[in-house]
Amino acid sequence: MTSKKHNIFNALMIALPWISVLFIGKRSIKRYSLSSVVIGIYEIISHLYGRKKKYWKFYDKPQKFIRDELPFDIGPYVPISMWILKYTYGNFKKFVLVNVIFNLFFAFIFIAFLKKIKILRLYRLNYFQFFIYIHYKAYLLYAVQFLMEKVKRRRGMYSATKKDEKIPS
């Protein structure tokens, strides 16, 4: 049976990042949402693989993907990807640095916190391996956004250099 703290945790993990999207700006949502969703879908597939390989274990029984891993994918992953792209896209070094900081925090501090409150613990991965497991996806996110920008520029949809220029509908 799902614990009350697990349900509250899942609700907060989904709601808070999506509420933050209200402040990201319409242009940024339009510009970065598709690449963030593509990587979010890739993350779901990755979590299915990690679940099969038993990289982690959730404390609540029975184990269910929809209750356990999916809130991580539909909660923070897509909104945080949009925020990071908004503030770092175009400066690859800054993008990598911000992702390293976020992923180090998640892999070493947040996962340890989840273990302490008995939501999740790593099983077949150590913290560093888990960091690599989540961090490499940042490069995929940047590559997907880069390709989307290239396609949009080719189609003449907008100029990526002018911040105040409106995107045609």
Side-chain angles (χ1 to χ4, degrees):
M1 181 167 193
T2 306
S3 68
K4 187 175 181 178
K5 69 180 169 193
H6 197 148
N7 287 333
I8 292 169
F9 172 79
N10 283 349
L12 290 172
M13 191 169 56
I14 293 168
L16 293 177
W18 282 103
I19 289 170
S20 79
V21 172
L22 296 171
F23 305 102
I24 198 170
K26 196 175 186 178
R27 183 178 188 276
S28 294
I29 291 171
K30 190 169 185 175
R31 184 174 182 187
Y32 302 120
S33 62
L34 188 55
S35 60
S36 296
V37 167
V38 167
I39 293 302
I41 292 168
Y42 180 82
E43 180 67 8
I44 290 171
I45 294 165
S46 180
H47 272 159
L48 288 168
Y49 178 79
R51 178 183 184 82
K52 183 178 179 183
K53 292 291 187 178
K54 298 182 181 173
Y55 288 160
W56 49 79
K57 285 191 175 184
F58 285 82
Y59 285 90
D60 287 347
K61 305 287 184 210
Q63 306 242 332
K64 296 180 181 179
F65 178 79
I66 290 175
R67 182 200 60 224
D68 297 336
E69 288 91 354
L70 192 60
F72 285 90
D73 301 325
I74 62 173
Y77 202 83
V78 173
I80 288 173
S81 295
M82 285 191 280
W83 279 104
I84 290 173
L85 285 170
K86 176 180 178 160
Y87 288 108
T88 65
Y89 186 74
N91 184 337
F92 187 69
K93 288 178 184 177
K94 187 176 180 182
F95 176 82
V96 170
L97 178 64
V98 168
N99 272 283
V100 164
I101 291 167
F102 266 86
N103 292 329
L104 282 171
F105 171 82
F106 188 80
F108 289 90
I109 297 170
F110 192 63
I111 293 297
F113 170 73
L114 294 179
K115 182 179 179 182
K116 186 175 183 172
I117 65 169
K118 297 197 183 298
I119 300 273
L120 158 80
R121 68 180 173 91
L122 295 179
Y123 184 65
R124 290 196 170 159
L125 297 176
N126 62 38
Y127 291 110
F128 181 73
Q129 290 168 324
F130 186 71
F131 166 76
I132 299 299
Y133 171 83
I134 60 174
H135 183 67
Y136 84 90
K137 295 168 196 141
Y139 303 99
L140 294 175
L141 174 64
Y142 200 90
V144 169
Q145 184 63 35
F146 179 81
L147 292 173
M148 292 184 68
E149 297 277 328
K150 193 173 184 178
V151 167
K152 287 177 183 178
R153 268 187 245 115
R154 224 178 241 164
R155 290 183 181 170
M157 290 181 76
Y158 67 89
S159 170
T161 58
K162 294 182 181 178
K163 288 191 176 189
D164 56 345
E165 185 175 317
K166 291 186 179 177
I167 300 171
S169 299

